[in-house]
Structure formats: C-alpha cells, structure tokens
Amino acid sequence: MFLGRLADVAGTPEREVAAGPLAEVLADLPASLAIALLDERVRVALNGELVRAVETIVLEQGDELAFLPPVSGG
Amino acid sequence: MFLGRLADVAGTPEREVAAGPLAEVLADLPASLAIALLDERVRVALNGELVRAVETIVLEQGDELAFLPPVSGG
Amino acid sequence: MIDVRLLTQPFNPGQFVGPFTHAHPGLGGVCTFVGEVRGEDGVEALELSHYAPLTLPGMEALAARAASRFDLMGMMILHRTGVMLPGEPIVCVSAAASHRRAAFEAVDFAMDHLKSDSWFWKREKRGGVWTWIEPRGQDHSDLARWD
Amino acid sequence: MIDVRLLTQPFNPGQFVGPFTHAHPGLGGVCTFVGEVRGEDGVEALELSHYAPLTLPGMEALAARAASRFDLMGMMILHRTGVMLPGEPIVCVSAAASHRRAAFEAVDFAMDHLKSDSWFWKREKRGGVWTWIEPRGQDHSDLARWD
C-alpha cells in the first residue's frame, strides 16, 4: 500500500507483489518509485505494525506492506 | 451602593445618604463600615464612572456612589 | 464579529458557539473555553454579582482588545450573573482566527482578565452559609503574563 | 471519559461537545478547539487519507497520554477523513479538567501531535488540481515544545 503522495508516484494506492525479501520486491518496481519508497523519512508498516529494521523484511504470501510518507494532519 | 462583601458589612446593598463631601458622608456611617470602605483596594465609582481622586468627591442630590471591593470573577 | 453578553439564566454554550462559528466561514479554527460551577468541597451554589455601569462595557473593551491583539476574526464572551448550581456554565469564551495559536491565546488572555480584571464578585454557599471568594494571588500572576 | 473517533461525513462539533461536557458534571472547565477547512487562497476542497491499522490506535494512545499528563477528567478527539469543503470541521478536540490551564494545555498538546505525529495525509484542490501538503517546519517546532 502507498499512502499520501506515494500513491501518486506509484500511480495506484495498492499493488500486488511477489513474496520475497524487501530488496527483491523493490528491484521489481519502477526505479523512480523504489527511490521514493527508500526516502529516509518514509516509514514502513508490515501487516499494520511499524517496522524499524526495514532491511530485514521478508514478505510472505498474504502479507500487507504499507509505505507511509511524512504526515500532515490536523 | 455596596458591591460584593461590602454589602454584608453595610448590611444592605444600597443606602441613602445626605449630600456633601465624601469625608462627611463617611463620618455619618458606622465606624466599621467607613473603615471597610476606605480600604485602599476598594475602588469608587460616581454615577457609573471610576473616580481616581476619591478625596475630591462632593455628593450632590441624586448622585450614585458605588464602592467596589477586589473582584473575583470567571 | 464581537458578541458580548451578560446572562441571568442558565445557558447552553453550544447554542451560542454554533452560530458564532458559522458567522466566520472558512476561518481556520475556533477555540472555546466553558467554565462551570464546580461540585467539589460541598459547594451548594455560587452567586455572581456585578455592577451594571462597568461590567458589560468592561467585557466589551476586553473583547475588542483581544480581537486586535491576536488578529481574530471574532470573539464571543458570555458571562452568567446571579445564583448558579454545580454543573451550570458560568462563562463561555470563544475566539475565531485563521491561526490556531492565536485563538488559544486570545481565550486564555480573556479568561485571565475576566478572573481578576473585570467587575464581578463571587460568593459560595456551603452548608447553607454564603462566603465571599477573595481574589487569589495566582489570578494576579496569571494576569501579569500578558503585560 | 476518553472518546476518540474517525468520522467520514460532515459533523457538527456541538453535537459531540455537549454530551462530552455533560458526562463530567461539576468539572471546572472544558476547552475545545475546532479546526475547519480554510476558504482562502482558492482552495476548493481538502482530502485527508489515513492508514486504518495505525490512525485510530494512535489517536487513542494520544488521548490517553494527554489525559494522564494533564490530569484530565476526560478527553475527546474527533477527526474527519475523506473529502471536505471549505468551512467544514476537520478536527474537534475537547479536554475536561478541574483546572483551566490543564484543559488548555491538553488541547494544545493534542493538536500539535495530530498535526505532525499522527497518521494523516492531506491534499488540497485548487483550480481543479490536487496537491499534497507537506509537513511544515513550524509543526515540528510546535511538537518539540512538549519534549
């Protein structure tokens, strides 16, 4: 899932990807999108829980990964 | 007119007095009330307007004098 | 819009805050404070007396001062007088502004001034006995923050 | 009482603030802030998106944190999502407390955290074109006041 402006960069709010380590998932995406997702201010949630050590993520069948850019609420 | 706790000291919220300089008006009141009215924190209004130089007040027929103790609103 | 009223009967703040808010469409934000009679310490009733020639003009001057100092779009001050029971609103202050912090500060400013720089006298009834409330030192130090 | 809601339709803050206030009789005071969509600069609409697994739990944690930090009797946070027009409320935060300053500070605290430490993303439509709103440096310095 791509939140906020990342949905515009991705051209869609959600996208199906193959299972596997995060590095492989990103390698299959358009380069401009992968670069936007790797921005150090973008947080990552796996199945609704924030992940600190993003580089350790390995997606399994049915997992939901969310990319959360800097917020602007209120 | 006696506002706030001064009405209790005076035993009434309002009292008719004879015209004349303020010193004479006060001299005709019970001593305990006169002392309470002369408290430096008590402000005085003549016909709805605050008076700074209280000692200069000379009451005429129909004038309304109000004694305003420290406030406690809100 | 400046809206200042002395109310002699119980009131519902929402009935005033709604129209006040709608009078400033697209405003940014509205901050509101409602103070009620506390029920603690065995208080049975509260009475606020005022001095008509000074009280309302003083509140109007306060609202105008806050509106210009904090660049408000509007300010509303509602204040009860007379006898009130625990849970009844005493005071309702609303500020409408483009910027949130200005609205907060204007309400805080107005409340500090209503507490100790306006013409109200308060007494409480406990166990059937009325006692005058003296101003607290805290109220004066709150006021001094704005000098 | 802690009352936290995400709302998907236009709402009238008074319909929530009244019952929230009445749930805490004899409370002292209630401070409320209502933020609306600004009509200035040609803004036609505002859209707020959120991430369901984090947004509501984050708001609930924020309300609980404010309630204990400021010794509140209750806190309410209402936040819109979806598309809003100028003049519609976006957010309504109320704090009920025995002491006025605590109620003010709790609402200020919650607003600062909702602005830059909660899971909402905002975009504006002007001249038919949607643009994402980036967080402002001011929002982060506002947040740092509470550290």
Side-chain angles (χ1 to χ4, degrees):
Chain A
M1 296 187 67
F2 309 106
L3 277 299
R5 63 179 168 74
L6 293 177
D8 285 359
V9 180
T12 172
E14 288 187 47
R15 181 174 181 141
E16 296 276 333
V17 294
L22 183 61
E24 289 180 18
V25 171
L26 292 177
D28 284 345
L29 297 175
S32 62
L33 176 56
I35 289 167
L37 297 180
L38 287 169
D39 183 308
E40 62 176 5
R41 298 176 306 155
V42 172
R43 309 285 303 274
V44 178
L46 180 61
N47 298 323
E49 305 250 348
L50 286 173
V51 178
R52 280 177 190 278
V54 172
E55 62 282 1
T56 65
I57 292 174
V58 179
L59 285 186
E60 297 179 17
Q61 207 64 255
D63 278 353
E64 180 187 274
L65 199 61
F67 292 91
L68 314 164
V71 300
S72 54
Chain B
M1 297 186 67
F2 309 106
L3 278 298
R5 63 179 169 73
L6 293 177
D8 285 0
V9 180
T12 171
E14 289 187 46
R15 181 174 183 140
E16 295 275 335
V17 294
L22 182 60
E24 290 181 16
V25 172
L26 292 176
D28 285 344
L29 297 176
S32 62
L33 176 56
I35 289 168
L37 298 180
L38 287 168
D39 183 309
E40 62 176 3
R41 297 175 307 155
V42 172
R43 309 287 302 275
V44 177
L46 179 62
N47 298 325
E49 305 250 348
L50 287 173
V51 178
R52 281 177 188 279
V54 172
E55 62 283 359
T56 66
I57 292 174
V58 180
L59 284 186
E60 296 181 17
Q61 207 66 254
D63 278 353
E64 180 187 276
L65 200 59
F67 292 91
L68 314 165
V71 300
S72 53
Chain C
M1 183 179 79
I2 302 278
D3 185 358
V4 175
R5 308 181 198 207
L6 279 173
L7 303 172
T8 58
Q9 299 295 324
F11 70 104
N12 176 356
Q15 289 185 343
F16 294 89
V17 175
F20 172 74
T21 302
H22 292 135
H24 306 95
L27 46 75
V30 176
C31 181
T32 300
F33 179 79
V34 175
E36 294 189 355
V37 181
R38 291 210 185 97
E40 63 198 12
D41 303 332
V43 172
E44 294 156 16
L46 187 78
E47 186 184 38
L48 270 179
S49 49
H50 73 292
Y51 180 55
L54 295 181
T55 310
L56 194 59
M59 289 165 67
E60 283 164 350
L62 172 60
R65 208 145 44 104
S68 75
R69 176 168 177 158
F70 299 101
D71 196 17
L72 304 181
M73 302 171 80
M75 171 141 242
M76 181 172 73
I77 303 179
L78 312 173
H79 211 298
R80 270 295 305 276
T81 63
V83 175
M84 288 156 269
L85 302 176
E88 285 184 25
I90 305 171
V91 60
C92 173
V93 176
S94 282
S98 293
H99 298 287
R100 171 163 54 101
R101 185 112 323 118
F104 272 92
E105 289 189 346
V107 176
D108 203 12
F109 174 90
M111 282 300 306
D112 279 342
H113 285 77
L114 286 169
K115 277 274 175 193
S116 53
D117 188 30
S118 65
W119 301 102
F120 291 105
W121 295 271
K122 191 191 277 179
R123 57 178 192 161
E124 283 178 352
K125 189 174 168 186
R126 297 165 199 253
V129 178
W130 286 103
T131 310
W132 290 100
I133 307 299
E134 296 291 325
R136 303 175 306 152
Q138 169 84 43
D139 293 335
H140 291 289
S141 59
D142 285 350
L143 194 61
R145 295 189 305 144
W146 304 102
D147 289 344
Chain D
M1 181 179 80
I2 302 278
D3 185 358
V4 175
R5 308 182 198 206
L6 278 174
L7 304 171
T8 58
Q9 298 295 324
F11 70 104
N12 176 354
Q15 290 186 343
F16 294 88
V17 175
F20 172 74
T21 302
H22 292 135
H24 306 95
L27 46 76
V30 175
C31 180
T32 299
F33 179 79
V34 175
E36 295 190 355
V37 181
R38 291 210 184 99
E40 62 197 13
D41 302 333
V43 171
E44 294 156 15
L46 187 78
E47 185 183 38
L48 271 178
S49 51
H50 72 293
Y51 180 56
L54 295 181
T55 309
L56 194 59
M59 288 165 66
E60 285 164 349
L62 173 60
R65 207 146 46 104
S68 75
R69 176 168 178 159
F70 299 100
D71 196 17
L72 303 181
M73 303 171 80
M75 171 141 242
M76 181 172 73
I77 303 179
L78 312 174
H79 211 298
R80 270 295 307 275
T81 62
V83 175
M84 288 155 269
L85 301 177
E88 286 184 26
I90 305 172
V91 60
C92 173
V93 176
S94 281
S98 293
H99 298 287
R100 172 163 54 101
R101 184 110 328 116
F104 272 92
E105 289 189 346
V107 176
D108 203 12
F109 175 88
M111 282 301 305
D112 279 343
H113 285 77
L114 286 169
K115 277 274 176 193
S116 54
D117 189 31
S118 66
W119 300 103
F120 290 104
W121 294 271
K122 191 191 276 179
R123 56 178 192 161
E124 284 177 352
K125 188 174 169 185
R126 297 166 199 251
V129 178
W130 286 102
T131 311
W132 290 100
I133 307 300
E134 296 291 325
R136 301 175 308 151
Q138 170 83 43
D139 294 334
H140 291 289
S141 59
D142 285 350
L143 193 61
R145 295 188 306 144
W146 305 102
D147 290 343

